[in-house]
Amino acid sequence: MKTIANIAKILPDPEPMLNAAPELTVKFNFKKDPINLTGYTAALQIRTSPLAKTTVLALSTSSGITLGGSAGTISIHATASQTGAITDGKYAYDL
């Protein structure tokens, strides 16, 4: 099984996404060509800080993440109830 490398980032204030069902699609390219993600899995974890032990939200290819195969896309979808459970603030995430 292949996995996508972790990318740590700090999220801005998530207020616009609370109680909504946001979807984000990212396309991975190498020299303008899509990276084929066929056979890969992905996981997303959102935490209060990069070193926090507990997650605020966790998604995976079996729940909330869809990989676009040869198109090189990753679509992330959280439900309104998932985002509604997140309090206002800044968070770290790994994808």
Side-chain angles (χ1 to χ4, degrees), residues 39-80:
Y40 282 80
T41 61
L44 171 78
Q45 293 184 333
I46 298 176
R47 302 172 186 276
T48 54
S49 71
L51 300 178
K53 300 265 185 217
T54 59
T55 60
V56 174
L57 177 65
L59 301 172
S60 68
T61 44
S62 62
S63 174
I65 297 177
T66 304
L67 301 181
S70 61
T73 58
I74 298 176
S75 295
I76 301 166
H77 175 79
T79 66

Side-chain angles (χ1 to χ4, degrees), residues 14-22 78-86:
E15 185 66 30
M17 296 190 308
L18 297 179
N19 297 309
T79 66
S81 62
Q82 288 172 316
T83 60
I86 300 172

